[in-house]
Amino acid sequence: MDRLEVITTHIDWFLERKDSVLVAIDGKCTSGKTTLSQKLAKHYDCNVMHMDDFFLRPEQRTAERFSQVGGNVDYERFQAEVLTPLLSGNPFSYRPFDCKTFSLSEAIAVTPKKLNIIEGSYAMHPHFGDPYDLKILLTVDPETQRQRIGERPAHLQERFLTQWIPMENQYLEGFCISQKADLIL
C-alpha cells in the first residue's frame, strides 16, 4: 500500500462515520505536505487551507515572537478566521498573507465541506487544542531536505536553512508533534 492509499483508507474510515472530517497535514518543509494535499483535493471534493497563508505580518515579526516555540505563524488569526468558523460548519472567509507584498490579500470565501484539510507546518500547534479527526505528520531526512531546498528560489534558500528549518524543528520537537500524530510518513 503506497502512502496515498494509507491516508485515503484512514480518511475514508472517518468519512463513513462522521458528517464532517477535519484532517491536519503537518511536518517538515519539503516533506511533501502541499503535494499530498493537492493529491487529496483531486481525490476528494474537499477544502484545503494552507498554514503558509498565515505567516506573520510585518508588525508581528518581533524578537519576542520569533523566540516562541511555534511563533513563526499567526496561529491566533488562523484560529479566529479559519478554525473556529470551520468547526461551526458555517461559511466564512479569510485573508491569506501575501509574501510578495507583506500584506493580506483579498478574502477567500470557504463553505465547509464533508472533508476539510489544514496543510502546512504548525497545523498541529497546541494553541488549537485537538480539533482534528486525523493528524498526519510528514518527515524528510536532512540530506533530501537540503537537496529539495536547493530547488527552491535562490534568494530564499539561506532563510530556509538558517531560520525556517530550525524554527520548524524546534516546534516539532518542543511540542512533541510526532507523539500527537496518528500517521507518520
Side-chain angles (χ1 to χ4, degrees):
M1 196 179 284
D2 72 5
R3 180 163 97 162
L4 185 60
E5 239 181 315
V6 168
I7 293 166
T8 58
T9 298
H10 281 79
I11 291 173
D12 291 345
W13 186 89
F14 283 105
L15 289 172
E16 290 170 7
R17 289 161 178 78
K18 297 191 72 178
D19 292 332
S20 66
V21 177
L22 184 58
V23 174
I25 302 173
D26 202 329
K28 295 182 174 193
C29 66
T30 77
S31 62
K33 299 177 302 294
T34 303
T35 301
L36 174 60
S37 69
Q38 290 169 343
K39 288 179 180 179
L40 292 171
K42 285 181 183 175
H43 187 81
Y44 297 100
D45 177 24
C46 66
N47 289 314
V48 177
M49 281 125 321
H50 305 278
M51 291 302 298
D52 284 357
D53 289 341
F54 293 87
F55 282 137
L56 296 175
R57 297 183 309 276
E59 67 272 14
Q60 295 173 299
R61 295 170 183 240
T62 64
E64 181 182 343
R65 182 60 181 240
F66 284 127
S67 70
Q68 295 176 16
V69 175
N72 194 33
V73 67
D74 192 346
Y75 52 83
E76 302 94 342
R77 188 168 70 86
F78 174 79
Q79 174 91 41
E81 290 186 16
V82 175
L83 197 54
T84 298
L86 181 61
L87 292 171
S88 77
N90 296 317
F92 62 94
S93 64
Y94 68 95
R95 296 180 64 199
F97 181 77
D98 183 332
C99 293
K100 292 178 182 160
T101 64
F102 276 76
S103 63
L104 298 180
S105 300
E106 293 298 314
I108 295 175
V110 178
T111 299
K113 295 186 177 183
K114 185 164 174 92
L115 175 61
N116 298 280
I117 298 172
I118 308 301
E119 174 275 325
S121 297
Y122 309 101
M124 288 190 260
H125 196 291
H127 179 80
F128 310 138
D130 189 14
Y132 301 107
D133 298 297
L134 180 63
K135 298 175 292 282
I136 302 166
L137 177 65
L138 299 185
T139 63
V140 62
D141 66 86
E143 183 178 324
T144 302
Q145 186 179 48
R146 217 175 340 276
Q147 289 172 349
R148 290 176 181 171
I149 292 297
E151 298 168 7
R152 303 253 170 130
H155 70 282
L156 295 177
Q157 291 175 16
E158 185 65 24
R159 290 202 65 196
F160 271 105
L161 296 171
T162 62
Q163 186 178 5
W164 295 328
I165 290 173
M167 291 176 105
E168 284 178 359
N169 289 339
Q170 185 183 38
Y171 155 77
L172 293 167
E173 294 166 16
F175 290 132
C176 304
I177 300 301
S178 64
Q179 294 174 13
K180 297 174 183 180
D182 302 306
L183 294 173
I184 300 175
L185 304 166

mmCIF file of all heavy atoms in Angstrom, residues 110-145:
data_model
loop_
_atom_site.group_PDB
_atom_site.id
_atom_site.type_symbol
_atom_site.label_atom_id
_atom_site.label_comp_id
_atom_site.label_asym_id
_atom_site.label_seq_id
_atom_site.Cartn_x
_atom_site.Cartn_y
_atom_site.Cartn_z
ATOM 1 N N VAL A 110 -15.016 30.433 1.933
ATOM 2 C CA VAL A 110 -14.984 28.984 2.139
ATOM 3 C C VAL A 110 -16.340 28.522 2.660
ATOM 4 O O VAL A 110 -16.877 29.094 3.608
ATOM 5 C CB VAL A 110 -13.899 28.583 3.168
ATOM 6 C CG1 VAL A 110 -13.903 27.076 3.401
ATOM 7 C CG2 VAL A 110 -12.520 29.061 2.725
ATOM 8 N N THR A 111 -16.864 27.500 2.028
ATOM 9 C CA THR A 111 -18.028 26.806 2.547
ATOM 10 C C THR A 111 -17.536 25.447 3.031
ATOM 11 O O THR A 111 -16.966 24.683 2.233
ATOM 12 C CB THR A 111 -19.103 26.621 1.448
ATOM 13 O OG1 THR A 111 -19.512 27.911 0.994
ATOM 14 C CG2 THR A 111 -20.303 25.863 1.984
ATOM 15 N N PRO A 112 -17.663 25.160 4.324
ATOM 16 C CA PRO A 112 -17.177 23.872 4.821
ATOM 17 C C PRO A 112 -17.782 22.708 4.035
ATOM 18 O O PRO A 112 -18.949 22.736 3.651
ATOM 19 C CB PRO A 112 -17.632 23.856 6.280
ATOM 20 C CG PRO A 112 -17.716 25.302 6.642
ATOM 21 C CD PRO A 112 -18.224 25.980 5.393
ATOM 22 N N LYS A 113 -16.951 21.716 3.785
ATOM 23 C CA LYS A 113 -17.378 20.510 3.074
ATOM 24 C C LYS A 113 -17.286 19.330 4.033
ATOM 25 O O LYS A 113 -16.846 19.470 5.168
ATOM 26 C CB LYS A 113 -16.502 20.285 1.844
ATOM 27 C CG LYS A 113 -16.667 21.386 0.805
ATOM 28 C CD LYS A 113 -15.915 21.076 -0.454
ATOM 29 C CE LYS A 113 -16.164 22.160 -1.493
ATOM 30 N NZ LYS A 113 -15.509 21.851 -2.755
ATOM 31 N N LYS A 114 -17.664 18.176 3.557
ATOM 32 C CA LYS A 114 -17.589 16.971 4.392
ATOM 33 C C LYS A 114 -16.141 16.713 4.826
ATOM 34 O O LYS A 114 -15.887 16.320 5.952
ATOM 35 C CB LYS A 114 -18.167 15.770 3.648
ATOM 36 C CG LYS A 114 -18.226 14.524 4.510
ATOM 37 C CD LYS A 114 -19.127 13.468 3.930
ATOM 38 C CE LYS A 114 -19.060 12.187 4.721
ATOM 39 N NZ LYS A 114 -20.048 12.068 5.768
ATOM 40 N N LEU A 115 -15.176 16.954 3.921
ATOM 41 C CA LEU A 115 -13.756 16.817 4.241
ATOM 42 C C LEU A 115 -13.085 18.173 4.099
ATOM 43 O O LEU A 115 -13.213 18.841 3.072
ATOM 44 C CB LEU A 115 -13.084 15.801 3.311
ATOM 45 C CG LEU A 115 -11.567 15.657 3.463
ATOM 46 C CD1 LEU A 115 -11.181 15.192 4.869
ATOM 47 C CD2 LEU A 115 -11.027 14.694 2.405
ATOM 48 N N ASN A 116 -12.369 18.585 5.153
ATOM 49 C CA ASN A 116 -11.601 19.822 5.164
ATOM 50 C C ASN A 116 -10.199 19.491 5.647
ATOM 51 O O ASN A 116 -10.032 18.765 6.636
ATOM 52 C CB ASN A 116 -12.257 20.848 6.091
ATOM 53 C CG ASN A 116 -13.655 21.201 5.596
ATOM 54 O OD1 ASN A 116 -13.805 21.990 4.687
ATOM 55 N ND2 ASN A 116 -14.658 20.577 6.185
ATOM 56 N N ILE A 117 -9.198 20.023 4.939
ATOM 57 C CA ILE A 117 -7.800 19.712 5.243
ATOM 58 C C ILE A 117 -7.061 21.000 5.576
ATOM 59 O O ILE A 117 -7.172 21.992 4.851
ATOM 60 C CB ILE A 117 -7.126 19.010 4.048
ATOM 61 C CG1 ILE A 117 -7.822 17.674 3.766
ATOM 62 C CG2 ILE A 117 -5.635 18.820 4.290
ATOM 63 C CD1 ILE A 117 -7.374 16.979 2.493
ATOM 64 N N ILE A 118 -6.296 20.958 6.656
ATOM 65 C CA ILE A 118 -5.390 22.047 7.021
ATOM 66 C C ILE A 118 -3.992 21.538 6.738
ATOM 67 O O ILE A 118 -3.551 20.541 7.319
ATOM 68 C CB ILE A 118 -5.523 22.443 8.513
ATOM 69 C CG1 ILE A 118 -6.977 22.720 8.888
ATOM 70 C CG2 ILE A 118 -4.598 23.608 8.823
ATOM 71 C CD1 ILE A 118 -7.656 23.821 8.114
ATOM 72 N N GLU A 119 -3.298 22.210 5.826
ATOM 73 C CA GLU A 119 -1.984 21.753 5.362
ATOM 74 C C GLU A 119 -0.919 22.758 5.743
ATOM 75 O O GLU A 119 -1.094 23.951 5.533
ATOM 76 C CB GLU A 119 -2.033 21.577 3.840
ATOM 77 C CG GLU A 119 -0.720 21.252 3.187
ATOM 78 C CD GLU A 119 0.148 22.457 2.850
ATOM 79 O OE1 GLU A 119 -0.379 23.521 2.481
ATOM 80 O OE2 GLU A 119 1.380 22.338 2.995
ATOM 81 N N GLY A 120 0.171 22.265 6.278
ATOM 82 C CA GLY A 120 1.332 23.114 6.491
ATOM 83 C C GLY A 120 1.962 22.958 7.853
ATOM 84 O O GLY A 120 1.344 22.474 8.797
ATOM 85 N N SER A 121 3.210 23.384 7.920
ATOM 86 C CA SER A 121 3.916 23.396 9.195
ATOM 87 C C SER A 121 3.123 24.236 10.183
ATOM 88 O O SER A 121 2.564 25.270 9.804
ATOM 89 C CB SER A 121 5.315 23.994 9.029
ATOM 90 O OG SER A 121 6.078 23.188 8.158
ATOM 91 N N TYR A 122 3.070 23.785 11.402
ATOM 92 C CA TYR A 122 2.365 24.423 12.511
ATOM 93 C C TYR A 122 0.872 24.113 12.543
ATOM 94 O O TYR A 122 0.142 24.646 13.368
ATOM 95 C CB TYR A 122 2.595 25.949 12.545
ATOM 96 C CG TYR A 122 4.051 26.339 12.490
ATOM 97 C CD1 TYR A 122 4.636 26.788 11.311
ATOM 98 C CD2 TYR A 122 4.861 26.231 13.615
ATOM 99 C CE1 TYR A 122 5.979 27.128 11.251
ATOM 100 C CE2 TYR A 122 6.202 26.564 13.570
ATOM 101 C CZ TYR A 122 6.766 27.016 12.385
ATOM 102 O OH TYR A 122 8.085 27.342 12.337
ATOM 103 N N ALA A 123 0.389 23.237 11.659
ATOM 104 C CA ALA A 123 -1.039 22.894 11.640
ATOM 105 C C ALA A 123 -1.494 22.259 12.951
ATOM 106 O O ALA A 123 -2.654 22.386 13.328
ATOM 107 C CB ALA A 123 -1.350 21.958 10.469
ATOM 108 N N MET A 124 -0.596 21.572 13.645
ATOM 109 C CA MET A 124 -0.961 20.919 14.911
ATOM 110 C C MET A 124 -0.477 21.713 16.123
ATOM 111 O O MET A 124 -0.253 21.158 17.199
ATOM 112 C CB MET A 124 -0.412 19.491 14.940
ATOM 113 C CG MET A 124 -1.133 18.546 14.009
ATOM 114 S SD MET A 124 -0.659 16.822 14.279
ATOM 115 C CE MET A 124 0.515 16.567 12.960
ATOM 116 N N HIS A 125 -0.344 23.006 15.951
ATOM 117 C CA HIS A 125 0.098 23.880 17.057
ATOM 118 C C HIS A 125 -0.834 23.659 18.258
ATOM 119 O O HIS A 125 -2.055 23.618 18.110
ATOM 120 C CB HIS A 125 0.046 25.336 16.604
ATOM 121 C CG HIS A 125 0.802 26.261 17.481
ATOM 122 N ND1 HIS A 125 0.400 26.565 18.766
ATOM 123 C CD2 HIS A 125 1.943 26.949 17.264
ATOM 124 C CE1 HIS A 125 1.259 27.414 19.301
ATOM 125 N NE2 HIS A 125 2.209 27.659 18.415
ATOM 126 N N PRO A 126 -0.277 23.516 19.455
ATOM 127 C CA PRO A 126 -1.122 23.261 20.626
ATOM 128 C C PRO A 126 -2.118 24.376 20.942
ATOM 129 O O PRO A 126 -3.098 24.140 21.649
ATOM 130 C CB PRO A 126 -0.128 23.062 21.769
ATOM 131 C CG PRO A 126 1.170 23.553 21.275
ATOM 132 C CD PRO A 126 1.137 23.516 19.784
ATOM 133 N N HIS A 127 -1.906 25.556 20.402
ATOM 134 C CA HIS A 127 -2.871 26.650 20.589
ATOM 135 C C HIS A 127 -4.265 26.235 20.121
ATOM 136 O O HIS A 127 -5.267 26.717 20.649
ATOM 137 C CB HIS A 127 -2.398 27.898 19.824
ATOM 138 C CG HIS A 127 -3.319 29.062 19.932
ATOM 139 N ND1 HIS A 127 -3.338 29.896 21.025
ATOM 140 C CD2 HIS A 127 -4.277 29.529 19.088
ATOM 141 C CE1 HIS A 127 -4.254 30.828 20.845
ATOM 142 N NE2 HIS A 127 -4.841 30.628 19.678
ATOM 143 N N PHE A 128 -4.330 25.328 19.142
ATOM 144 C CA PHE A 128 -5.609 24.916 18.560
ATOM 145 C C PHE A 128 -6.303 23.814 19.346
ATOM 146 O O PHE A 128 -7.419 23.437 19.012
ATOM 147 C CB PHE A 128 -5.413 24.430 17.115
ATOM 148 C CG PHE A 128 -4.635 25.385 16.250
ATOM 149 C CD1 PHE A 128 -3.667 24.911 15.376
ATOM 150 C CD2 PHE A 128 -4.853 26.755 16.297
ATOM 151 C CE1 PHE A 128 -2.941 25.782 14.573
ATOM 152 C CE2 PHE A 128 -4.135 27.635 15.502
ATOM 153 C CZ PHE A 128 -3.171 27.138 14.638
ATOM 154 N N GLY A 129 -5.668 23.283 20.372
ATOM 155 C CA GLY A 129 -6.239 22.134 21.073
ATOM 156 C C GLY A 129 -6.108 20.900 20.200
ATOM 157 O O GLY A 129 -5.087 20.715 19.544
ATOM 158 N N ASP A 130 -7.143 20.086 20.164
ATOM 159 C CA ASP A 130 -7.106 18.862 19.358
ATOM 160 C C ASP A 130 -8.378 18.758 18.507
ATOM 161 O O ASP A 130 -9.227 17.905 18.745
ATOM 162 C CB ASP A 130 -6.967 17.639 20.275
ATOM 163 C CG ASP A 130 -6.702 16.362 19.508
ATOM 164 O OD1 ASP A 130 -6.355 16.429 18.310
ATOM 165 O OD2 ASP A 130 -6.857 15.280 20.099
ATOM 166 N N PRO A 131 -8.512 19.630 17.492
ATOM 167 C CA PRO A 131 -9.751 19.663 16.710
ATOM 168 C C PRO A 131 -9.821 18.647 15.572
ATOM 169 O O PRO A 131 -10.857 18.489 14.940
ATOM 170 C CB PRO A 131 -9.746 21.079 16.134
ATOM 171 C CG PRO A 131 -8.288 21.339 15.906
ATOM 172 C CD PRO A 131 -7.590 20.678 17.078
ATOM 173 N N TYR A 132 -8.698 17.956 15.314
ATOM 174 C CA TYR A 132 -8.598 17.138 14.113
ATOM 175 C C TYR A 132 -9.062 15.704 14.332
ATOM 176 O O TYR A 132 -8.800 15.102 15.366
ATOM 177 C CB TYR A 132 -7.153 17.128 13.604
ATOM 178 C CG TYR A 132 -6.632 18.500 13.289
ATOM 179 C CD1 TYR A 132 -5.693 19.117 14.116
ATOM 180 C CD2 TYR A 132 -7.071 19.197 12.167
ATOM 181 C CE1 TYR A 132 -5.207 20.387 13.826
ATOM 182 C CE2 TYR A 132 -6.593 20.460 11.873
ATOM 183 C CZ TYR A 132 -5.667 21.050 12.705
ATOM 184 O OH TYR A 132 -5.201 22.304 12.417
ATOM 185 N N ASP A 133 -9.698 15.159 13.293
ATOM 186 C CA ASP A 133 -10.066 13.750 13.299
ATOM 187 C C ASP A 133 -8.857 12.890 12.953
ATOM 188 O O ASP A 133 -8.694 11.795 13.489
ATOM 189 C CB ASP A 133 -11.187 13.490 12.285
ATOM 190 C CG ASP A 133 -12.436 14.274 12.645
ATOM 191 O OD1 ASP A 133 -12.998 14.008 13.718
ATOM 192 O OD2 ASP A 133 -12.828 15.161 11.863
ATOM 193 N N LEU A 134 -8.028 13.374 12.047
ATOM 194 C CA LEU A 134 -6.841 12.648 11.607
ATOM 195 C C LEU A 134 -5.680 13.625 11.540
ATOM 196 O O LEU A 134 -5.796 14.687 10.920
ATOM 197 C CB LEU A 134 -7.086 12.005 10.233
ATOM 198 C CG LEU A 134 -5.939 11.210 9.624
ATOM 199 C CD1 LEU A 134 -5.576 10.008 10.492
ATOM 200 C CD2 LEU A 134 -6.301 10.748 8.203
ATOM 201 N N LYS A 135 -4.577 13.253 12.176
ATOM 202 C CA LYS A 135 -3.384 14.098 12.210
ATOM 203 C C LYS A 135 -2.250 13.343 11.523
ATOM 204 O O LYS A 135 -1.840 12.284 11.982
ATOM 205 C CB LYS A 135 -3.018 14.448 13.651
ATOM 206 C CG LYS A 135 -4.117 15.238 14.353
ATOM 207 C CD LYS A 135 -3.812 15.492 15.807
ATOM 208 C CE LYS A 135 -3.825 14.281 16.676
ATOM 209 N NZ LYS A 135 -5.096 13.744 17.091
ATOM 210 N N ILE A 136 -1.750 13.925 10.424
ATOM 211 C CA ILE A 136 -0.703 13.311 9.614
ATOM 212 C C ILE A 136 0.560 14.148 9.751
ATOM 213 O O ILE A 136 0.524 15.372 9.586
ATOM 214 C CB ILE A 136 -1.130 13.237 8.140
ATOM 215 C CG1 ILE A 136 -2.432 12.453 7.996
ATOM 216 C CG2 ILE A 136 -0.025 12.638 7.284
ATOM 217 C CD1 ILE A 136 -3.109 12.612 6.647
ATOM 218 N N LEU A 137 1.668 13.488 10.025
ATOM 219 C CA LEU A 137 2.966 14.151 10.106
ATOM 220 C C LEU A 137 3.853 13.582 9.001
ATOM 221 O O LEU A 137 4.046 12.369 8.922
ATOM 222 C CB LEU A 137 3.616 13.912 11.479
ATOM 223 C CG LEU A 137 5.009 14.507 11.666
ATOM 224 C CD1 LEU A 137 4.966 16.029 11.613
ATOM 225 C CD2 LEU A 137 5.607 14.032 12.978
ATOM 226 N N LEU A 138 4.369 14.466 8.156
ATOM 227 C CA LEU A 138 5.285 14.049 7.096
ATOM 228 C C LEU A 138 6.708 14.416 7.486
ATOM 229 O O LEU A 138 6.958 15.510 8.000
ATOM 230 C CB LEU A 138 4.916 14.722 5.767
ATOM 231 C CG LEU A 138 3.530 14.414 5.212
ATOM 232 C CD1 LEU A 138 3.355 15.043 3.837
ATOM 233 C CD2 LEU A 138 3.264 12.924 5.143
ATOM 234 N N THR A 139 7.610 13.498 7.252
ATOM 235 C CA THR A 139 9.012 13.718 7.596
ATOM 236 C C THR A 139 9.867 13.632 6.337
ATOM 237 O O THR A 139 9.426 13.153 5.293
ATOM 238 C CB THR A 139 9.502 12.689 8.630
ATOM 239 O OG1 THR A 139 9.423 11.386 8.055
ATOM 240 C CG2 THR A 139 8.669 12.747 9.899
ATOM 241 N N VAL A 140 11.085 14.079 6.461
ATOM 242 C CA VAL A 140 12.068 14.003 5.378
ATOM 243 C C VAL A 140 13.443 14.012 6.046
ATOM 244 O O VAL A 140 13.643 14.690 7.055
ATOM 245 C CB VAL A 140 11.896 15.169 4.372
ATOM 246 C CG1 VAL A 140 12.129 16.518 5.028
ATOM 247 C CG2 VAL A 140 12.780 14.992 3.150
ATOM 248 N N ASP A 141 14.369 13.234 5.500
ATOM 249 C CA ASP A 141 15.710 13.215 6.093
ATOM 250 C C ASP A 141 16.444 14.502 5.719
ATOM 251 O O ASP A 141 16.132 15.136 4.703
ATOM 252 C CB ASP A 141 16.484 11.967 5.635
ATOM 253 C CG ASP A 141 16.779 11.983 4.147
ATOM 254 O OD1 ASP A 141 17.806 12.569 3.746
ATOM 255 O OD2 ASP A 141 15.960 11.428 3.378
ATOM 256 N N PRO A 142 17.419 14.910 6.556
ATOM 257 C CA PRO A 142 18.102 16.196 6.335
ATOM 258 C C PRO A 142 18.770 16.333 4.966
ATOM 259 O O PRO A 142 18.737 17.406 4.369
ATOM 260 C CB PRO A 142 19.142 16.252 7.461
ATOM 261 C CG PRO A 142 18.580 15.387 8.537
ATOM 262 C CD PRO A 142 17.843 14.285 7.816
ATOM 263 N N GLU A 143 19.352 15.261 4.454
ATOM 264 C CA GLU A 143 20.035 15.346 3.156
ATOM 265 C C GLU A 143 19.041 15.611 2.015
ATOM 266 O O GLU A 143 19.254 16.477 1.182
ATOM 267 C CB GLU A 143 20.821 14.066 2.878
ATOM 268 C CG GLU A 143 21.612 14.122 1.588
ATOM 269 C CD GLU A 143 22.419 12.863 1.339
ATOM 270 O OE1 GLU A 143 22.936 12.287 2.310
ATOM 271 O OE2 GLU A 143 22.508 12.468 0.160
ATOM 272 N N THR A 144 17.936 14.861 2.015
ATOM 273 C CA THR A 144 16.905 15.073 0.991
ATOM 274 C C THR A 144 16.307 16.461 1.136
ATOM 275 O O THR A 144 16.066 17.152 0.137
ATOM 276 C CB THR A 144 15.807 13.994 1.100
ATOM 277 O OG1 THR A 144 16.411 12.706 0.962
ATOM 278 C CG2 THR A 144 14.742 14.180 0.044
ATOM 279 N N GLN A 145 16.086 16.893 2.369
ATOM 280 C CA GLN A 145 15.532 18.228 2.603
ATOM 281 C C GLN A 145 16.459 19.296 2.034
ATOM 282 O O GLN A 145 16.008 20.216 1.357
ATOM 283 C CB GLN A 145 15.317 18.449 4.101
ATOM 284 C CG GLN A 145 14.605 19.740 4.423
ATOM 285 C CD GLN A 145 14.391 19.932 5.912
ATOM 286 O OE1 GLN A 145 15.311 19.769 6.704
ATOM 287 N NE2 GLN A 145 13.164 20.266 6.284
#
